[in-house]
Amino acid sequence: MMLSNLILAAVTYLSPVHFDVLLAGNFGEPRPNHFHGGLDIKTQKVEGKAIYSIGDGYVCRVTKNVGGMGNALYVRHPEGYTSVYAHLQRFAPAIEAVVRKWQYQHQQTDLDLKLEATACPVTRGQLIALSGDTGASMGPHLHLEIHQTDTWNIVDPLEFIPDLLTDSIPPKAHAIMAYPMEGEGMFCGKDEQQRFDFDNSVITDTLTAWGKVGFGIFADDYMQGSENRYGIRYTALYVDGKEVFTSNVDNIPMDCHKMVNVWGDYDYYAANQVWFIRSYVLPANKLPFIKTGPNKGVVNFSEQKPYQLTYVLCDFFGNKAQYSFVVYGQPQDLKHEEPADSIRFIHGRENDAGTEGMSVMVPKGGMMRDTWVKASDKARPSKYSKGYMLAQKSIPLFEKARLRLKVETEVEDKGKLCVVSLRRNKKNELDPEAEARMYIPATYKDGWMECDIDDIGNSYAVDYDDSPPKVLPLNQSNWESEETLLVDVKDDQTGVARFQAFIDGQFVLFDHVKKSTRMVCSLKDTPVEKKGAERRLLLKALDNVGNETIYDTTILY
């Protein structure tokens, strides 16, 4: 356990599971737009494992199908922390009863329910749920988070359950990246970033530099019993024995999550699915667990001499690895070329750009880092507007930008106009497949569509949706015998906003079938009394621009 965190040792919790723990993911791993906020505990490749409250407290929040958490429980503890259990299959019966009561009262499946302390009290070690694979899960597991209740900062659960697992394997570095500062540094004769791989912990290339250069490292942690790779807890960079950078990934404020994109090399990750984590600090990076000197971790190669650089990597359990390499200070002409016909968007100010049919405004502080952009109407068009883009790569933002697109085609119902974005694939190119389209809520005003966007590197166009959602009965011949209703509900344009079902006018609850667009209702779990008579079943689906489908049929129940 890190000495800086010994203060947390006074608060200890139990394991949320009653089996030997292996991790699929650890706390603080870099992900696009966020840090991994907890521990991903493997559940032996199956669902339905018992999940227990790690401490005394009460269920303060329950969510179903909110964000990527799937079914999730939040337990508030008197010590000042809140534990979160996500991707659950189902809740314990007492909690499930509270949830279903709310769903029937509000006639909706999805929920984000806040509870008072008296509604669902729990004790240390009490069964609260069964593990699952719901939400943005890539397989059965339990995602466990611990937050400071007052600040909602996320903290490493291992600080509170240090005996949850054992680990004696140190981290391993794979490569470094050199980042010459624009117009102020050169590395191996170039003013562009360059990757150098370790060969048996050694870099065999001859490295030269002049001026100001930052560095980044690609490294993973490992644990016995698992083939997974994990994020690095502690990193330090030394130059000639002097510490210039340290990071100790813990206690992360929620409003700092997107800073992972500037601490890590987001552009390289988007193209290669590999994170290089910078050992220097860009202006937008305010992560509190990073410490540097006055040069923000940037190394100034100003003398003709060998510079000894050393990385020290350490995991939560104190397993340490060290990597050293030499960079020779060698005078080189500093150079920097600016892209032609481009505009510099700067983090510390308001930025705007546009063409005849498009404008975008990024608020001050909205840019994660300074970036060159170029407005273009050469992206894939739609029937209702040209296609617009500002860059050939994804550029996520801290704060949403305001986008305006000119409507080129007159339509009957302006309320059914929308904006669509074409996402980028892993190769950092615009994906031409239809499923890459993403609906963005927008408002029509004086011939223009206005909306908020969080990535100015995607392409955008105006679209029109007058097609209602599709409600398709599945296995309808078995509905009566199995007393189970199964339907597929989807909308390929603006998405399903609401789905409801009624039997003889009485609301009945359908649940999501995980990883699909299907909805299922077990009739015996509804308040509808079985009479063996013909009943009217009404299914209603509404999309995000007001198109509605009503499926009217009868069932015998």
Side-chain angles (χ1 to χ4, degrees):
M1 184 182 298
M2 296 295 177
L3 292 176
S4 60
N5 295 304
L6 283 177
I7 189 171
L8 299 179
V11 179
T12 58
Y13 293 124
L14 296 177
S15 170
V17 297
H18 288 177
F19 50 82
D20 292 339
V21 168
L22 292 175
L23 298 184
N26 70 340
F27 176 84
E29 288 179 2
R31 308 280 174 87
N33 297 307
H34 71 286
F35 290 93
H36 187 236
L39 303 178
D40 282 346
I41 297 174
K42 295 184 180 184
T43 55
Q44 301 169 345
K45 300 182 179 181
V46 299
E47 299 184 50
K49 293 290 185 178
I51 304 301
Y52 304 92
S53 177
I54 63 174
D56 294 334
Y58 67 94
V59 178
C60 62
R61 184 183 179 192
V62 184
T63 65
K64 289 178 72 75
N65 304 297
V66 175
M69 301 286 266
N71 299 333
L73 284 178
Y74 296 66
V75 176
R76 184 164 297 174
H77 304 286
E79 298 84 8
Y81 299 95
T82 298
S83 55
V84 183
Y85 314 77
H87 308 309
L88 304 171
Q89 182 189 74
R90 64 187 62 182
F91 309 122
I95 302 171
E96 188 70 39
V98 172
V99 169
R100 292 187 76 83
K101 179 180 179 181
W102 186 96
Q103 289 174 307
Y104 271 94
Q105 285 177 340
H106 294 80
Q107 297 189 355
Q108 67 185 65
T109 299
D110 302 346
L111 79 158
D112 187 350
L113 176 59
K114 308 296 195 304
L115 297 173
E116 299 295 329
T118 55
C120 286
V122 296
T123 57
R124 183 180 174 97
Q126 177 181 329
L127 176 71
I128 56 174
L130 298 181
S131 68
D133 186 23
T134 57
S137 168
M138 300 300 290
H141 73 279
L142 169 68
H143 176 81
L144 173 68
E145 293 183 4
I146 296 181
H147 293 252
Q148 293 178 339
T149 301
D150 56 347
T151 65
W152 209 240
N153 289 7
I154 50 173
V155 291
D156 191 342
L158 290 177
E159 298 286 359
F160 302 87
I161 322 173
D163 298 329
L164 188 67
L165 52 88
T166 58
D167 174 22
S168 60
I169 302 177
K172 180 180 180 180
H174 310 294
I176 63 164
M177 189 81 78
Y179 298 90
M181 301 294 103
E182 290 185 2
E184 298 183 279
M186 297 287 290
F187 200 85
C188 292
K190 299 179 181 179
D191 65 342
E192 60 193 41
Q193 68 184 62
Q194 298 164 69
R195 170 177 173 162
F196 300 90
D197 289 4
F198 286 104
D199 182 3
N200 293 323
S201 303
V202 175
I203 294 177
T204 58
D205 303 80
T206 299
L207 307 180
T208 63
W210 195 249
K212 296 180 180 180
V213 179
F215 291 89
I217 189 164
F218 165 33
D220 293 304
D221 192 20
Y222 300 85
M223 297 180 187
Q224 55 259 53
S226 174
E227 295 181 354
N228 293 79
R229 299 183 177 194
Y230 309 98
I232 304 298
R233 174 61 183 259
Y234 175 87
T235 304
L237 175 62
Y238 295 83
V239 178
D240 293 337
K242 183 179 179 181
E243 181 184 282
V244 299
F245 173 93
T246 60
S247 62
N248 186 3
V249 185
D250 193 22
N251 205 320
I252 306 173
M254 293 303 288
D255 61 2
C256 288
H257 264 283
K258 285 189 174 183
M259 290 178 188
V260 70
N261 292 344
V262 287
W263 185 30
D265 187 339
Y266 177 86
D267 290 349
Y268 193 88
Y269 175 83
N272 301 282
Q273 303 300 290
V274 165
W275 280 109
F276 276 88
I277 303 300
R278 290 182 172 91
S279 309
Y280 66 101
V281 176
L282 293 174
N285 187 352
K286 309 298 182 185
L287 289 168
F289 57 74
I290 292 176
K291 307 298 180 185
T292 69
N295 294 329
K296 303 296 183 181
V298 175
V299 183
N300 188 7
F301 295 94
S302 58
E303 299 180 53
Q304 297 186 56
K305 68 167 191 174
Y307 291 77
Q308 180 82 19
L309 278 71
T310 300
Y311 271 106
V312 176
L313 309 175
C314 190
D315 64 19
F316 175 86
F317 297 93
N319 302 302
K320 184 187 296 185
Q322 184 170 305
Y323 295 83
S324 296
F325 54 96
V326 175
V327 178
Y328 295 93
Q330 184 179 94
Q332 303 169 40
D333 292 335
L334 303 182
K335 60 181 180 179
H336 175 63
E337 296 181 6
E338 297 184 354
D341 303 322
S342 296
I343 302 172
R344 184 75 160 170
F345 271 22
I346 296 175
H347 165 73
R349 74 181 187 201
E350 181 180 297
N351 300 275
D352 60 79
T355 66
E356 181 180 347
M358 178 270 286
S359 69
V360 65
M361 190 281 291
V362 181
K364 181 179 179 180
M367 297 297 300
M368 293 189 181
R369 57 183 177 82
D370 298 353
T371 306
W372 291 97
V373 302
K374 183 178 181 179
S376 168
D377 60 4
K378 304 303 181 184
R380 176 193 262 185
S382 74
K383 181 180 176 181
Y384 306 95
S385 79
K386 295 179 180 179
Y388 299 93
M389 59 192 303
L390 286 173
Q392 297 291 333
K393 61 184 179 181
S394 171
I395 306 176
L397 305 170
F398 279 137
E399 305 289 343
K400 289 183 180 293
R402 191 65 173 173
L403 174 69
R404 299 178 73 245
L405 299 178
K406 187 176 181 179
V407 181
E408 305 284 354
T409 304
E410 196 64 34
V411 297
E412 180 179 347
D413 184 352
K414 294 179 175 58
K416 298 189 185 304
L417 287 167
C418 61
V419 171
V420 292
S421 167
L422 201 60
R423 297 198 304 263
R424 295 180 178 276
N425 62 24
K426 291 182 178 180
K427 293 182 179 179
N428 213 22
E429 299 169 349
L430 288 175
D431 193 331
E433 298 299 326
E435 60 265 26
R437 289 160 53 90
M438 181 173 62
Y439 157 75
I440 300 174
T443 303
Y444 177 86
K445 183 178 180 181
D446 300 329
W448 293 74
M449 294 298 290
E450 299 183 358
C451 64
D452 293 327
I453 59 174
D454 54 17
D455 191 321
I456 60 172
N458 292 338
S459 73
Y460 297 93
V462 176
D463 206 353
Y464 186 78
D465 180 11
D466 59 355
S467 300
K470 297 175 182 177
V471 178
L472 178 65
L474 301 174
N475 303 327
Q476 193 168 4
S477 60
N478 298 327
W479 282 7
E480 284 85 4
S481 61
E482 297 180 1
E483 297 184 354
T484 300
L485 311 178
L486 182 65
V487 296
D488 190 39
V489 185
K490 60 184 176 182
D491 187 280
D492 294 331
Q493 288 187 268
T494 56
V496 178
R498 185 177 71 237
F499 174 76
Q500 293 176 308
F502 301 87
I503 295 179
D504 291 344
Q506 184 173 6
F507 174 79
V508 293
L509 182 66
F510 273 69
D511 290 313
H512 292 276
V513 177
K514 68 172 188 175
K515 316 298 183 187
S516 76
T517 55
R518 297 180 176 186
M519 304 286 289
V520 64
C521 172
S522 174
L523 291 172
K524 63 184 179 181
D525 293 334
T526 71
V528 177
E529 181 183 355
K530 183 177 181 180
K531 297 180 178 180
E534 188 175 88
R535 321 292 287 268
R536 184 185 183 190
L537 172 65
L538 205 63
L539 306 176
K540 297 182 178 181
L542 187 74
D543 70 15
N544 280 290
V545 292
N547 299 305
E548 185 177 41
T549 292
I550 298 178
Y551 182 82
D552 194 344
T553 189
T554 59
I555 60 171
L556 190 66
Y557 184 67

